Amino acid sequence: MASDSIHVKVSGQLQDHIQQQIGDHGLYENASEYIRALIRRDLQTRDETWDMLQKELAPAMRADDSEFVALSAEDVIGRNKRR
């Protein structure tokens, strides 16, 4: 089965940064390895962010409707200005 490929052109500072990450002085053998590591890290961060958001919102999702208070946009803006 043939694998799909994505070809990306980078130049300038991006290319310089990639070059610093690969070869004798970097952690990666080649640019592809570095890019795959970045994508894996991005996926992990996304999953961790989603988990954190779910934990933060869980109490509100379980709360009874009577526990919520209606606020106007002005109320929220005023509260945030006081912080």
Side-chain angles (χ1 to χ4, degrees):
M1 181 172 147
S3 66
D4 292 332
S5 295
I6 297 174
H7 300 276
V8 178
K9 275 187 159 184
V10 294
S11 59
Q13 289 180 331
L14 292 177
Q15 185 175 14
D16 294 343
H17 179 74
I18 291 171
Q19 291 303 318
Q20 291 172 4
Q21 306 308 311
I22 64 175
D24 294 338
H25 302 291
L27 296 174
Y28 304 93
E29 290 186 26
N30 55 55
S32 293
E33 185 180 305
Y34 177 54
I35 299 301
R36 284 191 296 271
L38 288 174
I39 293 168
R40 285 186 197 102
R41 189 177 333 147
D42 183 53
L43 288 170
Q44 180 180 357
T45 301
R46 182 195 63 188
D47 291 344
E48 290 170 356
T49 300
W50 179 248
D51 290 345
M52 182 184 69
L53 182 60
Q54 285 181 312
K55 287 177 187 173
E56 188 74 25
L57 292 177
M61 301 305 283
R62 290 189 303 267
D64 187 66
D65 288 348
S66 64
E67 295 183 50
F68 291 95
V69 177
L71 295 173
S72 69
E74 291 80 19
D75 293 334
V76 174
I77 292 168
R79 181 188 66 196
N80 290 338
K81 284 182 178 179
R82 288 190 296 274
R83 288 185 176 181

